[in-house]
Amino acid sequence: MIKILHTADWHLGKRLQEFSRLEEQKLVLEEIINIADQENVDLILLAGDIFDTFNPNHEAVELLYKTLRKLSENGERPIIAISGNHDSTQFVEAPDPLARELGILFYSRYDSIIPTGKLDSGIEITKSESGFVELKLPKSDFPIRVILAPYANETLLKTYLGEGDREAEFREILQEKWKHLANKYCDENGVNIFVGHFFFMKEGEKPEAEPESERPILHVGGTQALFTKNIPSQIQYAALGHLHRYHSVGHEHCPVVYSSSPLAYSFSEADQEKKVVLIEAQPSQAVTCKAIGLKQGRPLYRMTFEKLEETLTWLEENPYCFVEITYVTEHSIDAATRKAIMKAHDGIVNLIPQIKNPQGQEGFHLKVEDLGKDMSHLFQLFYKSEKGQEPNEELMEIFREVISQSNEA
């Protein structure tokens, strides 16, 4: 039996608006290293979105390399890391020749082939082709086969897709590619794993919402999902990245699991416990999975208050967090109140006024996601909150004329 640790969506270098998360990332990655050591893990799977941007800053790059060196136990424990939709394929694969000597295999391009051969640690890359690698660990008498499915960016998709039903063709091409690899390599004499960074769902079910902080996966033919049935039947565990909430998508023939991001990266993730997944696997047997909660990092909260005193009390009692505050008031938040709230805590990300309506109707509540909308839409929201009905077209024309004149001035 071997132990595999599945993690994903590190988003190194990620910020929460103006707040850096780097120190929290250092803490939570150290926690992941400790879990791997305590559980005597044999293999690490990092399922994409290693960095948050195509051009990560040097602090994020340094944190990655230091973390992977520790996770690999200086080459004794292999790591397989694929790229996600936030990652540059060239940047991710750039250190591969050197990293491979420590058993760290970066994979981001479907035309890449990982070189075979034995490493100084005794880890052997026995078979390899585009989208596939087979490993042999010194302690095991059976191989580990891994189908590699990094995010395919728009350029790579154009290489694969024809002119017909692009959505169906996209699924069919990937399914056939993975099926070919599984039929060729994944028999019952080894452990067979899939690692991918895509939006997966069970066919016919409502798709999981993508987090606010996530860059949506490229839509193909109006949809963005692959189906769990596209994963070959020989696979014993599918390690996924992209969605930041820990959950199992399905279990048609194997667990298909999103491990979650290690930190909450947007307020849509405020109530989620972040995890890594420990898998115990052996040939021709169903795997066992255990999710392990992560404790490091600031929690995110969305709170609503009506009184300054209760706001300040809560902030004093919860110093180590990031918080989005909705403050209910009859008018705007006055300068003294705003100053007192902002001074009371170093992790206030948003302070949003919610205006109470004296007639008892629901007040005008401007949400963060409304800030990117145009003035006409905001006026409609305000008018409906005040009058209880939509403004008529004549009034909207007058408003648009006023806005137009204001812009010209």
Side-chain angles (χ1 to χ4, degrees), residues 16 21 24 261-266 269-270 272 274 298-300:
L16 183 61
R21 311 296 300 279
E24 295 171 83
S261 56
L263 296 175
Y265 285 128
S266 72
E269 304 170 45
Q272 298 174 10
K274 299 305 184 176
R298 285 189 173 197
L300 271 60

Side-chain angles (χ1 to χ4, degrees), residues 124-390:
E124 188 174 3
I125 302 169
T126 49
K127 296 175 184 177
S128 179
E129 72 170 80
S130 172
F132 176 83
V133 67
E134 180 182 271
L135 304 176
K136 183 76 167 51
L137 306 185
K139 62 166 280 186
S140 301
D141 57 1
F142 54 82
I144 305 166
R145 293 76 170 259
V146 185
I147 291 179
L148 305 163
Y151 172 69
N153 62 30
E154 191 169 1
T155 302
L156 291 173
L157 288 178
K158 286 178 180 177
T159 302
Y160 285 104
L161 299 180
E163 294 298 324
D165 183 348
R166 299 184 67 206
E167 172 193 341
E169 189 176 348
F170 172 58
R171 292 194 182 110
E172 183 179 342
I173 286 171
L174 289 180
Q175 176 177 294
E176 288 303 311
K177 177 179 177 63
W178 298 335
K179 182 180 178 181
H180 163 75
L181 293 170
N183 289 343
K184 185 174 180 180
Y185 296 110
C186 297
D187 59 28
E188 294 186 349
N189 297 318
V191 168
N192 304 316
I193 301 295
F194 177 98
V195 57
H197 193 94
F198 283 101
F199 196 137
F200 274 92
M201 60 178 284
K202 289 189 73 173
E203 187 175 15
E205 291 192 355
K206 183 179 179 181
E208 175 85 6
E210 290 174 286
E212 291 173 3
S213 64
E214 185 51 73
R215 184 180 302 141
I217 289 286
L218 176 67
H219 286 240
V220 181
T223 187
Q224 54 192 335
L226 293 168
F227 298 139
T228 54
K229 71 174 187 178
N230 300 137
I231 296 171
S233 59
Q234 296 94 325
I235 296 299
Q236 294 167 266
Y237 180 86
L240 302 183
H242 179 60
L243 299 181
H244 290 186
R245 180 177 70 87
Y246 163 76
H247 67 290
S248 177
V249 183
H251 205 303
E252 293 181 18
H253 56 267
C254 73
V256 180
V257 179
Y258 286 97
S259 63
S260 86
S261 56
L263 296 175
Y265 285 128
S266 72
F267 285 99
S268 65
E269 304 170 45
D271 298 323
Q272 298 174 10
E273 182 183 9
K274 299 305 184 176
K275 304 183 181 188
V276 293
V277 185
L278 181 68
I279 305 107
E280 295 184 348
Q282 56 187 312
S284 72
Q285 301 293 320
V287 303
T288 61
C289 306
K290 179 176 74 171
I292 301 174
L294 299 171
K295 307 302 180 187
Q296 294 294 334
R298 285 189 173 197
L300 271 60
Y301 298 112
R302 274 178 164 153
M303 302 298 297
T304 300
F305 300 104
E306 292 193 34
K307 297 180 180 178
L308 178 59
E309 182 180 355
E310 67 180 11
T311 309
L312 299 180
T313 298
W314 188 92
L315 292 173
E316 183 180 355
E317 292 173 350
N318 297 272
Y320 188 68
C321 68
F322 289 114
V323 59
E324 178 182 278
I325 296 174
T326 298
Y327 195 79
V328 182
T329 176
E330 293 183 358
H331 306 288
S332 61
I333 303 175
D334 63 80
T337 299
R338 178 178 292 275
K339 183 178 179 181
I341 292 173
M342 298 304 293
K343 189 178 179 181
H345 199 281
D346 68 352
I348 299 174
V349 180
N350 297 306
L351 177 55
I352 306 166
Q354 179 178 339
I355 309 301
K356 280 197 284 190
N357 192 307
Q359 281 74 41
Q361 297 174 356
E362 183 180 351
F364 178 53
H365 185 184
L366 187 62
K367 300 177 182 178
V368 173
E369 53 264 35
D370 293 326
L371 298 180
K373 296 176 180 175
D374 61 41
M375 290 295 293
S376 294
H377 182 84
L378 294 177
F379 176 73
Q380 288 176 301
L381 290 176
F382 175 76
Y383 189 92
K384 186 174 181 180
S385 72
E386 291 292 309
K387 305 296 184 181
Q389 60 184 7
E390 298 280 353

